[in-house]
Amino acid sequence: MVIVKPDQSAALEKLRLFVNKTIVLDDNAWHDFSGLWTLHAAKRKEVLTKNGEKENYLYFVLEGIQRVFYISEWGKEATLVLSYPPSFAGILDAMMLAQKSRYYFETLTPSVFLKAKYTEIKKLMEKHSSVNLFVLQGISQALSGILERIVELQVCSSEEKFRILLKRSPHILQLIPHKYIASYLGIDASNFSKLLNSIKI
């Protein structure tokens, strides 16, 4: 899959439309906020942040699919988060706490982002109350999504988790290897293949 890198103004317009769904920034706040972002393109299977590194950037996904994953000390890998446009991405806890990441942030397909330094976003949160409110709303939404996903992992059957994913993001089945989806759902890869063959999509 070949991705054409958009121009900066078109990318920022996509960001503004996404932000407006949460809060409409006034012209001064948007001018400052939009000035923080730069375009960044990444190849398939490119690790943007590694375990043990600091996460300095917040990413806004324009194209492609990415994942945050964890590798245990005995080598078991778990896909924790899948991100795709339009959404924010990165290793958010390490970024906001200014600590080294415990996870990896990797592209699964060629990807294009807008990225901004979180230290600069924090300065704007102090300058503009609307930017501060937007970030707080974003954190709240992310937390809500995490809690919902924990419920799915602990309560739902493999088939129910698969059907929820199909309803939420059916396109990813054709875009990324199924082993990552199985890991994300907490399903053994062989059981996922059987599930895929048994459920009519």
Side-chain angles (χ1 to χ4, degrees):
M1 179 171 66
V2 177
I3 288 181
V4 178
K5 192 174 180 180
D7 64 64
Q8 182 84 2
S9 60
L12 286 172
E13 183 59 27
K14 289 183 179 181
L15 174 63
R16 188 166 198 174
L17 289 172
F18 186 79
V19 170
N20 283 349
K21 292 178 181 178
T22 301
I23 186 171
V24 177
L25 301 180
D26 63 44
D27 288 342
N28 287 334
W30 173 250
H31 177 269
D32 290 346
F33 186 70
S34 63
L36 302 181
W37 300 85
T38 58
L39 279 169
H40 179 77
K43 298 176 181 178
R44 174 184 173 275
K45 297 294 289 178
E46 185 173 329
V47 177
L48 301 175
T49 307
K50 297 179 181 178
N51 170 282
E53 293 181 346
K54 287 189 175 181
E55 177 63 280
N56 296 314
Y57 294 97
L58 176 64
Y59 295 85
F60 178 69
V61 184
L62 296 165
E63 300 286 348
I65 297 177
Q66 308 80 39
R67 69 171 181 148
V68 173
F69 68 99
Y70 175 77
I71 300 177
S72 71
E73 53 188 56
W74 56 90
K76 185 173 181 180
E77 187 179 295
T79 296
L80 306 175
V81 177
L82 294 172
S83 53
Y84 36 83
S87 66
F88 290 104
I91 303 176
L92 300 184
D93 66 328
M95 179 190 75
M96 299 187 72
L97 296 171
Q99 64 185 20
K100 292 180 179 179
S101 173
R102 294 173 290 174
Y103 314 111
Y104 297 82
F105 180 44
E106 174 190 52
T107 61
L108 293 178
T109 67
S111 300
V112 178
F113 311 91
L114 284 167
K115 69 175 186 177
K117 287 186 176 180
Y118 184 64
T119 52
E120 298 302 313
I121 294 175
K122 281 183 70 177
K123 291 177 184 177
L124 275 194
M125 290 170 66
E126 297 173 1
K127 180 178 179 181
H128 296 290
S129 60
S130 57
V131 174
N132 185 60
L133 179 59
F134 170 70
V135 172
L136 291 176
Q137 291 271 19
I139 295 168
S140 299
Q141 290 168 5
L143 177 59
S144 177
I146 290 168
L147 292 174
E148 184 177 343
R149 186 159 138 66
I150 290 172
V151 170
E152 291 171 8
L153 288 171
Q154 294 194 1
V155 173
C156 297
S157 67
S158 295
E159 181 175 335
E160 288 169 337
K161 287 186 285 187
F162 183 62
R163 289 189 182 279
I164 290 169
L165 180 69
L166 283 181
K167 185 176 180 180
R168 183 188 298 142
S169 313
H171 61 292
I172 67 173
L173 284 177
Q174 284 74 45
L175 295 176
I176 63 176
H178 292 166
K179 65 179 181 179
Y180 299 129
I181 301 175
S183 175
Y184 175 73
L185 295 176
I187 302 172
D188 181 83
S190 60
N191 291 336
F192 181 83
S193 296
K194 294 176 183 175
L195 197 59
L196 189 63
N197 293 328
S198 66
I199 294 178
K200 188 175 181 180
I201 300 173

